Amino acid sequence: MRKPCCDKQDTNKGAWSKQEDQKLIDYIRIHGEGCWRTLPQAAGLLRCGKSCRLRWINYLRPDLKRGNFTEDEEDLIIKLHALLGNRWSLIAGRLPGRTDNEVKNYWNSHLRRKLMKMGIDPNNHRLITRNLLPRPQFPHISNTGASGISPGPKVPVTGDANIRSPLKCRRDNDQVSDAASCLDDEPCSNQLPDLNLDLTISVSAATVDELEDDQRKKNQKQLNKLEEP
DNA sequence: AAGAACCCCAACCGCGTGTAT
DNA sequence: TATACACGCGGTTGGGGTTCT
């Protein structure tokens, strides 16, 4: 059995004090990041390593961009979410100065609602059509699966939709946005026209399929590049 | 003014993966 | 090969702040 990451009875929990923050900053300034398990003791902190790591990554890192998300960032998050699903660390990796936690929180508190207001299903980035769609819905797609907000069966994905890092393979039943599978399976007539993933203005419907296919290949290449060490 | 309801976000938790032994 | 450990990820929680009634 796996041991707990730290001796819980000897650690503080909850909000960090300024003194704790300072100790962590000072320690990392001198010794650098890493060895999170031994860091708390070495830095004189009564915290578990995990907690230190999270505090540093999400709050104390000097390169963090604080403040509201710009419209450009919003657009990018939406588009990346359509492509990558709930892979917050991957999405955050493309937003300099933003953390996965920040992006995840922003998605759950703002962007989900914003999309729903616009009549877009945030889970699969399709228009919410309510009986307007003549063609059948895809039976393998769950309405709740991709976001992880509502509990429900996780949908295993196949093919290109399951974009993975060659180094950091996620769980086998990892969740990926249905939009991603949508891109792979067939053209989505009700997909947002401006979600062309190239972050450019949309093009005529006649060429959307072609471009999507082309873009998919480009994106895959880029992702593979970015994932390389 | 006060309590309820809602929202936001920092922090925690459990689990999967990679690596050392 | 098997096991233990460290790390990183995504989902969830809870407390403080804000808005509503």
Side-chain angles (χ1 to χ4, degrees), chain A residues 114-152:
Chain A
K114 188 175 174 180
L115 288 183
M116 282 164 81
K117 259 188 183 173
M118 292 163 68
I120 299 160
D121 186 338
N123 295 329
N124 54 26
H125 296 260
R126 292 178 192 163
L127 292 172
I128 298 166
T129 50
R130 288 206 181 87
N131 301 330
L132 292 177
L133 256 191
R135 65 189 196 140
Q137 296 294 305
F138 310 120
H140 65 286
I141 288 174
S142 141
N143 283 332
T144 57
S147 78
I149 296 305
S150 328

Side-chain angles (χ1 to χ4, degrees), chain A residues 55-212:
Chain A
R55 183 64 178 172
W56 174 254
I57 287 174
N58 288 334
Y59 201 80
L60 298 176
R61 246 171 46 196
D63 58 326
L64 286 182
K65 193 195 284 182
R66 314 295 304 179
N68 295 336
F69 282 76
T70 64
E71 271 188 37
D72 284 348
E73 285 176 315
E74 278 190 13
D75 285 349
L76 191 52
I77 292 170
I78 292 169
K79 284 164 184 169
L80 287 170
H81 186 269
L83 178 68
L84 300 167
N86 292 0
R87 292 220 162 78
W88 304 117
S89 61
L90 278 180
I91 294 172
R94 285 146 187 78
L95 291 157
R98 301 296 187 183
T99 69
D100 54 350
N101 209 32
E102 204 177 4
V103 172
K104 179 173 58 181
N105 282 333
Y106 192 69
W107 173 265
N108 287 330
S109 59
H110 291 90
L111 296 181
R112 275 176 63 82
R113 207 168 302 146
K114 188 175 174 180
L115 288 183
M116 282 164 81
K117 259 188 183 173
M118 292 163 68
I120 299 160
D121 186 338
N123 295 329
N124 54 26
H125 296 260
R126 292 178 192 163
L127 292 172
I128 298 166
T129 50
R130 288 206 181 87
N131 301 330
L132 292 177
L133 256 191
R135 65 189 196 140
Q137 296 294 305
F138 310 120
H140 65 286
I141 288 174
S142 141
N143 283 332
T144 57
S147 78
I149 296 305
S150 328
K154 295 186 174 181
V155 183
V157 290
T158 55
D160 295 342
N162 201 0
I163 301 160
R164 290 167 185 278
S165 152
L167 297 172
K168 299 183 184 357
C169 296
R170 298 294 305 158
R171 302 157 202 174
D172 285 345
N173 60 350
D174 205 351
Q175 301 170 35
V176 169
S177 152
D178 293 325
S181 53
C182 165
L183 289 176
D184 287 318
D185 294 340
E186 52 189 306
C188 296
S189 61
N190 58 340
Q191 190 176 355
L192 275 182
D194 64 338
L195 285 183
N196 61 24
L197 306 176
D198 197 19
L199 312 185
T200 58
I201 306 302
S202 60
V203 295
S204 76
T207 57
V208 162
D209 291 353
E210 245 176 69
L211 283 173
E212 274 183 351

Side-chain angles (χ1 to χ4, degrees), chain A residues 12-79:
Chain A
N12 289 343
K13 284 174 79 172
W16 280 64
S17 68
K18 280 188 177 169
Q19 290 92 331
E20 286 178 310
D21 281 348
Q22 200 52 54
K23 277 185 184 177
L24 184 54
I25 291 168
D26 290 344
Y27 183 87
I28 291 178
R29 201 172 282 158
I30 295 168
H31 299 95
E33 292 181 48
C35 292
W36 296 107
R37 192 181 176 87
T38 54
L39 183 148
Q41 205 181 2
L45 286 162
L46 292 174
R47 294 275 179 174
C48 80
K50 239 181 180 182
S51 181
C52 293
R53 178 184 156 271
L54 222 55
R55 183 64 178 172
W56 174 254
I57 287 174
N58 288 334
Y59 201 80
L60 298 176
R61 246 171 46 196
D63 58 326
L64 286 182
K65 193 195 284 182
R66 314 295 304 179
N68 295 336
F69 282 76
T70 64
E71 271 188 37
D72 284 348
E73 285 176 315
E74 278 190 13
D75 285 349
L76 191 52
I77 292 170
I78 292 169
K79 284 164 184 169

